[in-house]
Amino acid sequence: MSNLVQFIESKHALYLEQLQDFLRIPSISTDPERKGDVLRCAEWVVAHCKDIGLENVQIFPTKGHPVVYAEHLHAGKDAPTVLFYGHYDVQPVDPLHLWTNPPFEPTVRDGKVYARGAVDDKGQVFMQLKSLEAHLKTHGKLPVNVKVLIEGEEEIGSVNLEEFLRTNARMLAADTVLISDTAMFADEVPSLCYGLRGMAYMEMTVTGPNRDLHSGVFGGAVANPANALASIIAKLTDDYGRITIPGFYDDVKALSAEERAEYARLPFDEAAYCKELNIPATDGEFGYNTLEKTSARPTLDVNGIWGGFTGEGAKTVLPGKASAKVSMRLVPNQDPVDIAKKFEAHVRRIAPPTVTVEVTYLHGGKPAVTAIDSKGVKAALRAMETAFGKKPFLTREGGSIPIVLLFQNILNAPVVLMGMGLNTENLHSPDEHFTLKNFYRGIVASALFYEELLK
Ligand code: BES
Ligand code: MN
Ligand code: MN
């Protein structure tokens, strides 16, 4: 083990350089203009997997972006098999002007690497690949059998991965699935994640008159779609922060007294949280604390809203259309398709009769809670404790990784969510970064994980 740690330490500079190459590729999965870059990124992952000594490295086309697969299966039939999953695609970069440095020109400042994808998820994927390389370069073998699956559509809901899992279930069969795409509770407070929220992502368009109108000539008699959209959105939640869609909470599993006691044990400082975000106070559902509200309770958020004139200055116009993108974070046992239907029915019910609305379901994913007593989770807890010098907490998180539940259901394999990110590292926003000491300790923790799994 100390061999491994020394080896990793001697490679810090090289690893950082290689990670920056990975981060330079603008693999934005949602942007059709970046399709070529996304493919180039998959090819980069393929080349790197070959480089570090993985075998049977393949790129699988899908209806969308390709999946990369690799393996190293020489630990013997009795050794467990781990499937590592991550994603090489990233979120869009806008608003671009808020970045200190361009998002695809990675820069290092104050011990952090800044770039789109630094922590979500290229940095963490790379950390995992380096942990495999460290074993292969120091011992010429891995302690367990390892399969690697790195996809390019996580940020758009992993729309084609379910079919890939079903068709290739044999190839992907594993005893444990390892994912590094979550955050630790806080810096120097290591944790493992055992729950993620699901998601139903909707878009709605309100249509009024057949064209944009002069707001003085027509305003007053013709319904304004932007006003109508705002009133629909305002009605989706009440004064207690509850979502008003009928049946929305029907399948929500209540938090048990034990779970709430566990939440209360976590070292959380509400005032510091508000200060870091520069908000006067927290918001949300009455009767729950901030950690519960951001991980174990469902939510509804507008992600974007547009219509009419949004340029500088003033233009008097009554727009013909207005739209919004709305996501709902779901918790066990809510079902995204069921929630999407309830959303649509409710929006139609509350929309003013003077406009028409169109609602589309863009994508969804089921919430997941993973077993906390699996061999994998126990091994990860020990590995994190050694690498970070502290006993990790077990936490649930508010983000979503749509494929987690399907790993459990299709491959029948327990999932370990061992992430090294921090929720303050601006994932999905300008100046995304990854703290390098956590990146390096993450390589050590992951390398140890494979050894701990044999104990
Ligand atoms: N890595 C995140 C999910 C995440 C973030 C989990 C922080 C825990 C803590 C993932 O890449 C992500 O952003 N997922 C999307 C899923 C969506 C597009 C279906 C999300 O949560 O918005
Ligand atoms: Mn991610
Ligand atoms: Mn993400």
Side-chain angles (χ1 to χ4, degrees):
M1 114 99 172
S2 72
N3 254 356
L4 257 179
V5 175
Q6 267 168 20
F7 177 84
I8 293 167
E9 253 165 40
S10 73
K11 300 287 180 199
H12 279 190
L14 176 69
Y15 290 172
L16 178 56
E17 238 170 74
Q18 294 175 332
L19 171 60
Q20 287 178 290
D21 286 340
F22 191 15
L23 293 172
R24 259 179 217 114
I25 310 172
S27 50
I28 306 171
S29 49
T30 198
D31 184 351
E33 286 186 5
R34 295 292 192 187
K35 204 168 163 66
D37 292 312
V38 178
L39 174 61
R40 192 155 59 84
C41 195
E43 283 163 352
W44 190 95
V45 175
V46 164
H48 200 74
C49 286
K50 287 182 179 162
D51 237 37
I52 63 175
L54 297 180
E55 299 171 350
N56 190 21
V57 187
Q58 296 182 56
I59 185 161
F60 288 88
T62 70
K63 281 183 206 135
H65 302 299
V67 168
V68 176
Y69 174 81
E71 62 186 29
H72 198 277
L73 306 175
H74 301 294
K77 275 209 160 58
D78 296 332
T81 300
V82 174
L83 173 67
F84 167 69
Y85 162 84
H87 63 94
Y88 66 81
D89 66 321
V90 301
Q91 287 274 334
V93 295
D94 59 284
L96 191 59
H97 69 278
L98 292 181
W99 286 78
T100 308
N101 288 295
F104 297 110
E105 291 173 25
T107 38
V108 177
R109 293 195 304 276
D110 306 330
K112 298 164 188 140
V113 59
Y114 286 80
R116 172 57 85 232
V119 64
D120 184 13
D121 181 32
K122 286 175 174 173
Q124 300 204 63
V125 162
F126 196 66
M127 178 182 94
Q128 288 296 341
L129 295 179
K130 292 291 114 175
S131 81
L132 297 175
E133 185 188 33
H135 276 294
L136 290 169
K137 292 241 162 104
T138 52
H139 314 120
K141 59 182 183 5
L142 298 176
V144 299
N145 299 308
V146 172
K147 299 175 176 178
V148 169
L149 173 69
I150 303 174
E151 72 148 323
E153 297 193 306
E154 196 278 341
E155 298 292 11
I156 48 173
S158 298
V159 272
N160 295 298
L161 199 62
E162 175 167 358
E163 193 187 313
F164 185 81
L165 282 197
R166 290 191 194 281
T167 345
N168 298 286
R170 256 255 194 72
M171 175 180 87
L172 300 171
D175 302 292
T176 297
V177 176
L178 173 66
I179 303 179
S180 288
D181 193 23
T182 49
M184 297 188 291
F185 187 72
D187 200 20
E188 302 300 332
V189 188
S191 62
L192 280 194
C193 176
Y194 73 94
L196 291 164
R197 289 193 286 196
M199 148 93 68
Y201 200 113
M202 316 297 296
E203 181 165 326
M204 58 176 158
T205 295
V206 176
T207 303
N210 58 6
R211 59 191 187 279
D212 284 8
L213 302 172
H214 188 294
S215 63
V217 175
F218 293 94
V222 178
N224 181 323
N227 292 36
L229 178 65
S231 97
I232 292 169
I233 291 169
K235 286 186 183 127
L236 293 174
T237 48
D238 68 16
D239 290 346
Y240 298 93
R242 300 266 300 180
I243 292 147
T244 56
I245 299 168
F248 184 84
Y249 292 94
D250 281 1
D251 298 321
V252 171
K253 192 168 170 243
L255 275 165
S256 67
E258 290 79 18
E259 280 175 290
R260 297 196 84 173
E262 274 305 301
Y263 270 102
R265 249 173 32 88
L266 290 164
F268 181 70
D269 180 343
E270 178 94 3
Y273 181 86
C274 292
K275 187 157 181 258
E276 199 271 326
L277 295 170
N278 200 16
I279 52 171
T282 53
D283 192 41
E285 190 180 4
F286 185 79
Y288 294 92
N289 69 34
T290 297
L291 294 176
E292 293 166 344
K293 284 189 286 201
T294 54
S295 63
R297 298 295 300 168
T299 58
L300 183 150
D301 278 291
V302 174
N303 295 251
I305 180 163
W306 67 99
F309 180 68
T310 56
E312 223 170 284
K315 172 193 179 191
T316 46
V317 63
L318 193 162
K321 279 183 194 300
S323 304
K325 293 184 190 278
V326 177
S327 68
M328 290 165 282
R329 296 281 167 176
L330 311 179
V331 300
N333 295 311
Q334 288 176 297
D335 176 74
V337 174
D338 172 62
I339 292 295
K341 281 190 191 136
K342 287 173 173 164
F343 176 93
E344 175 166 2
H346 188 55
V347 164
R348 291 195 180 290
R349 209 161 28 231
I350 62 178
T354 48
V355 295
T356 55
V357 285
E358 194 192 318
V359 178
T360 32
Y361 173 45
L362 295 187
H363 65 69
K366 292 189 176 171
V369 168
T370 66
I372 53 173
D373 55 357
S374 69
K375 275 190 123 176
V377 166
K378 288 183 182 156
L381 287 170
R382 292 193 298 268
M384 290 277 280
E385 182 168 356
T386 309
F388 285 82
K390 280 176 200 155
K391 252 198 179 14
F393 285 95
L394 279 163
T395 60
R396 279 169 72 168
E397 289 206 67
S400 312
I401 305 177
I403 207 66
V404 167
L405 195 78
L406 296 172
F407 280 135
Q408 297 185 154
N409 291 352
I410 300 174
L411 300 184
N412 218 339
V415 175
V416 178
L417 295 162
M418 186 167 74
M420 306 294 158
L422 297 173
N423 283 330
T424 49
E425 289 178 326
N426 293 350
L427 44 165
H428 296 200
S429 30
D431 282 353
E432 175 178 350
H433 57 277
F434 192 11
T435 304
L436 290 171
K437 69 170 185 213
N438 293 334
F439 167 63
Y440 296 129
R441 284 191 291 202
I443 300 173
V444 173
S446 317
L448 296 178
F449 167 76
Y450 294 109
E451 291 183 343
E452 289 293 338
L453 210 50
L454 289 178
K455 292 184 187 161

